[in-house]
Amino acid sequence: MGSIFCRLVSKLGFSFVSNEPANYLKPQHLGFGIKGGCEAAVHSVRSFILQDSSAEVLVKLDVKNAFNSVERDTLCHMIKEKIPKLYSYLWQCYSEPSKLFYNGQTIESCVGCQQGDPLGPAIFSLAIQPVLENLKSNLNIWYLDDGTLAGSSSNVLNDLSIVIREFQAIGLLLNFSKCELFFCPSFPSKSQAQAITEFSILAPNIRIISRDNLSILGSPLLETGVPSLFKKLLEKFNILASNITHINPHMALYILRHCFWIPKLNYYMRCCPFWKFFSFCESFDSSIRSVLENMINIKFTTSSWKQASLPIIFGGLGIRAVSDIALPAFLSSIHACSSLIDSILSFSSVEFRLEFLNEAENLWLSKSQNSRLPSLPYLQKSWDTPLIQIKYDSIFTNVSLREKAILLSLSNKESGAWLEALPSPQLGTLLDKVSLQIAVSLRLRTPFCHPHLCVCGSEVDSFGLHGLSCTKSAGRISRHACINDILKRAFISAEIPCILEPSGLFRDDGKRPDGVTLIPWKGGRCFVWDVTCADTVAPSHLVGSSKHAGFAASAAEQLKHSKYKGILDTHLFCAFAVETLGPWSEDAKCLLTELGTLLKRSTGIPMAKAFLRQRISIAIQRGNAASVLGTIPSSAGLEEVFLLF
């Protein structure tokens, strides 16, 4: 790796001049500074070989050890010509051999881009661009060192010889064993043998590929190639899934949601018509469901799995189903790349209609029950949200009053904040296995315990909700103390001294508030807060919670204000009321906003407000878990038996 200072300067230089080389390189070269370049290449090539009669052959080219082999004098020449603003800096980097250190030895590197240089893709692309500009093939697309040429057999063959000759002059060699030749539908089958001979002379060991194996930049071009890709991806997923279950479930859930599988699949879903293979998509969803069940140790019902696959703001876990994303991803990709695709295919007189677009749009109109397409078709969210809303509404069909209250409460932003938190034991945001299991089960309305008698004598069903409102709940005190401790630390971090349980300050019934600032908050008055956590589905709140999200928190807030009316003339008061299933009162939200702004100002952390919300949400989930476990009668462990011996 290069020096961290050089990498930093290169990053800054990239942001300063990225548009200049990008405008010069496109539409032939899509590997630098061009948003959606990969996707545009796939859609363009697919439409060209299937719709343009001039498409006879397609050749994929791969350059051997490309970045490490290109001559540096070529790099410096193109840098001086196309990005002169960075020439002085890059001349210092590449005018003399780079020093590589290995096993105590110093090796001088005289060719190629430096390893880890953020400007490496740009200067490599500039070095080969003069060669690409002279090619005559109708379709001429490159993504860094991966090239695709398509058109008439004679033009592509001639261009291949030019690429081999001109690349060799700047230090680059083609890896013929990785180059591929495909015959388009319009190419006569009787002429294929002769074409194979001609191409094999120029590129020995070039591979002849079928329709099933034709792919560009990892994505299948034709519909027949999608099933084989599905099979490979599913096999890989099962291998990775067998390992992810060995780590902490909270960490595994975070990894699965953010980077493990669906994010990796998103590229394929945007490029390929995955939505046409519903059974394959369901097999992926089934595997993801199985991994989640084993990871969290719960059993999904049909309704709870449907909810789990929704975004967090809709009450889900944010683990999206492939069958839900495939269609919106594909449609948004085509519309986002439309202008770039037009410039790539501008050489042709054919009026292209991108493959599968009409079919995909008609299917979306049918599934979304809309009469027209989204107004912002380049956003995946525009296609996804209507389908999510229909799925969300279907969950409310034939649900009980309690289930409706739970679902409504999850629509609040604060309810899913714990799922957004980075699970870290050092930060105190990591839930243990049992706490995570209870948190997920409460959120998805899945049974997770055996019916039993609570320590208070009441019946506890398999959903364990009684513990959240039980007066003998073991988690109420710990949750209350934890939230107060978080608020106190936040005030102190915002440079506002405060204390908990202040003396000399009482409400009407003689009890003290939870905390007070030691200096004025606003208007010369100190700030007083009192924390309370109401149960969303407690019998006294159930009817209201089933109609309005946050009903229990609002009721608790009003009750607190009436109890503290005696100090309202001398102090500013906040009833920090939250609910067991997530919603916050208006007072709590206002305090979060103001305190988050002060934290951002004093700490310089832009996400201070979000972090504070996540910490409090984690504390609520821990309190819920302790409350549910507190309903289990205590019994003597084996320690007493061992002590007898």
Side-chain angles (χ1 to χ4, degrees), residues 22 26 30 32-40 270 336-337 340 378-379:
K26 66 181 181 183
L30 307 175
F32 174 80
I34 300 175
K35 187 176 181 180
C38 279
E39 298 169 18
R270 289 177 67 84
C337 302
L340 183 55
Y378 56 89
L379 295 178

Side-chain angles (χ1 to χ4, degrees), residues 112-181:
C113 306
Q114 293 179 358
Q115 290 287 337
D117 185 359
L119 284 169
I123 59 180
F124 174 82
S125 302
L126 289 173
I128 66 173
Q129 183 65 13
V131 179
L132 309 185
E133 290 177 336
N134 294 325
L135 304 182
K136 304 300 182 184
S137 296
N138 288 346
L139 194 69
N140 175 20
I141 294 178
W142 289 75
Y143 195 90
L144 301 179
D145 58 338
D146 292 318
T148 302
L149 304 176
S152 66
S153 178
S154 58
N155 282 346
V156 174
L157 188 65
N158 183 59
D159 286 348
L160 177 58
S161 64
I162 293 174
V163 170
I164 294 173
R165 182 178 66 253
E166 297 297 330
F167 271 22
Q168 190 172 2
I170 59 175
L172 300 176
L173 298 174
L174 292 184
N175 188 351
F176 296 130
S177 62
K178 290 186 177 181
C179 295
E180 298 176 348
L181 172 63

Side-chain angles (χ1 to χ4, degrees), residues 637-645:
L638 289 175
E639 293 83 358
E640 295 186 7
V641 178
F642 296 147
L643 288 173
L644 295 176
F645 297 93

Side-chain angles (χ1 to χ4, degrees), residues 2 50 55 85 186 234 283 307 394 420 471 475 536 538 582 621 630 640:
L50 292 179
K85 296 175 183 177
S186 59
L234 190 56
S283 66
Q307 180 185 342
S394 68
E420 300 282 0
T471 55
T536 306
Q621 301 308 316
E640 295 186 7

Side-chain angles (χ1 to χ4, degrees), residues 24 73-83 126-127 130:
Y24 167 65
D73 57 347
T74 304
L75 293 178
C76 291
H77 172 74
M78 292 304 297
I79 291 167
K80 185 175 182 179
E81 182 179 339
K82 299 301 178 183
I83 44 176
L126 289 173

Side-chain angles (χ1 to χ4, degrees), residues 351-363:
E351 187 175 347
F352 289 100
R353 180 60 178 172
L354 295 177
E355 289 294 316
F356 310 119
L357 180 57
N358 277 341
E359 186 180 354
E361 288 178 343
N362 291 333
L363 179 60

